[in-house]
Amino acid sequence: RSQLPSLIHQRGLVSIPVTLEVGDYVLSPTMVVERKSVPDLYSSFASGRLYDQVVAMTRFYKIAILLIEFDDSRPFSLQPPSALGSDIAAGNIISKLVLLTLHFPTLRIMWMKNPHATAEMFDALKQNQLEPDVETAEKVGSDTDQAKSAFAIVPNDLLRRLPGINANNATFVMNHVPSLAHLATLSREEISALIGVSNAKQLHDFLHAKAPESLAAT
């Protein structure tokens, strides 16, 4: 179990335990924190859960923070410098974080060496901030009927590069289509219902375009 609640209490901060749909800690009416241990960070990326969590945080709060918390038993890094490559790699944790920040440019990422550092940072972040309302924080995200997206970070990146997909319709598509493979099976009329006639034509034509003969023969 995390030491953080007791460390927060030791600093004179009041922590009210409630069930939150969005985030782990609400520090002010406009600031929310999703806290991840290193193992949880890896598993959340693998399942696609982190993407959904960041979507919700950035939708409902002005300041959304992903806090990655280490502990004193492990090095204060996700991987050794020698393992860093020059290109984006789908399976690399640093690459996934880069893609996450590209998709959500307002997301803040904080790296805490241990729970003591997290408690100290929470104290600093709350300075000159209004206190959050408990009932309001509990309701955030609970009244929305958001479909569970099967789009993890890399498939999401591919989706956004497709013709007809843009910043205005990408999230809507992800909430209504379970996967890229399923999207490719939809008719133009079905796609039109999601993104409009003009965008649907671009996307459908691209998905069903025939490969050049030189490529098809290889």
Side-chain angles (χ1 to χ4, degrees):
R1 296 177 62 86
S2 173
Q3 298 175 275
L4 188 56
S6 62
L7 294 174
I8 290 174
H9 178 73
Q10 290 174 22
R11 298 192 67 87
L13 301 176
V14 178
S15 177
I16 302 175
V18 295
T19 300
L20 298 175
E21 295 291 333
V22 179
D24 290 324
Y25 291 88
V26 177
L27 302 184
S28 80
T30 60
M31 187 186 308
V32 66
V33 177
E34 180 67 35
R35 173 181 163 272
K36 298 288 186 189
S37 66
V38 173
D40 192 25
L41 178 70
Y42 276 86
S43 64
S44 295
F45 267 126
S47 67
R49 181 164 51 96
L50 181 57
Y51 176 81
D52 292 331
Q53 291 170 326
V54 175
V55 166
M57 288 198 299
T58 55
R59 175 179 178 182
F60 293 108
Y61 289 92
K62 181 180 179 180
I63 303 173
I65 300 170
L66 171 62
L67 188 147
I68 303 170
E69 187 180 275
F70 292 74
D71 60 62
D72 295 328
S73 67
R74 65 175 66 238
F76 189 37
S77 63
L78 291 174
Q79 60 184 45
S82 59
L84 294 175
S86 58
D87 298 322
I88 295 290
N92 183 273
I93 188 66
I94 300 300
S95 294
K96 292 179 180 180
L97 284 170
V98 169
L99 290 173
L100 190 68
T101 56
L102 288 174
H103 293 311
F104 302 98
T106 61
L107 178 69
R108 277 83 160 173
I109 298 181
M110 294 185 175
W111 308 74
M112 295 294 109
K113 191 171 184 179
N114 52 42
H116 290 83
T118 299
E120 183 177 355
M121 179 58 70
F122 279 8
D123 196 2
L125 289 172
K126 285 186 63 64
Q127 297 300 315
N128 303 316
Q129 296 286 334
L130 296 174
E131 290 294 332
D133 179 77
V134 175
E135 291 187 5
T136 300
E138 283 185 289
K139 292 179 181 178
V140 170
S142 62
D143 296 331
T144 61
D145 186 21
Q146 294 178 320
K148 296 297 183 181
S149 174
F151 285 89
I153 297 300
V154 173
N156 166 56
D157 183 54
L158 293 175
L159 174 72
R160 290 174 183 269
R161 295 175 183 273
L162 296 177
I165 299 296
N166 54 51
N168 295 322
N169 60 32
T171 299
F172 186 80
V173 171
M174 285 185 285
N175 284 339
H176 289 80
V177 181
S179 66
L180 288 173
H182 182 78
L183 179 64
T185 67
L186 298 181
S187 67
R188 183 181 299 181
E189 290 72 21
E190 290 172 317
I191 299 174
S192 296
L194 295 172
I195 60 176
V197 175
S198 178
N199 288 329
K201 183 179 185 306
Q202 295 181 55
L203 179 58
H204 188 270
D205 289 351
F206 175 81
L207 293 175
H208 296 275
K210 293 183 178 180
E213 292 185 4
S214 59
L215 293 178
T218 60

